[in-house]
Amino acid sequence: LSVYPNPTNGLITIESDLAVEQITLYSADGKLIETTKKQLMLIKEKGVYFIKIRTEKGIIVRRVVVN
């Protein structure tokens, strides 16, 4: 599973060999920002975020910095 670029200017790409069932974006304080199945995300505000990716094999969380 890849989440790139990181740090980013706001556009995030998520690549996985496994089927992605759901992608959830949270702010650093745990607030839900967005839930999607799209593997491209645009984050408009600078800061630190967590992306929770649910695949057929389990859940992976990645930290992302937006400059």
Side-chain angles (χ1 to χ4, degrees):
L1 181 103
S2 298
V3 177
Y4 63 90
N6 192 14
T8 179
N9 61 359
L11 186 62
I12 299 281
T13 302
I14 299 160
E15 286 187 358
S16 175
D17 292 337
L18 303 171
V20 174
E21 296 173 357
Q22 185 179 46
I23 299 168
T24 312
L25 178 67
Y26 295 94
S27 62
D29 62 1
K31 182 178 156 191
L32 175 64
I33 306 289
E34 182 181 355
T35 300
T36 186
K37 287 187 176 187
K38 297 178 187 172
Q39 291 183 255
L40 282 176
M41 297 186 90
L42 181 61
I43 305 170
K44 296 178 182 174
E45 298 203 19
K46 295 180 181 180
V48 177
Y49 296 87
F50 293 93
I51 298 177
K52 182 167 79 171
I53 304 148
R54 189 175 68 192
T55 69
E56 57 194 359
K57 296 278 186 175
I59 296 173
I60 300 159
V61 177
R62 293 284 191 262
R63 181 177 168 269
V64 174
V65 177
V66 179
N67 293 330

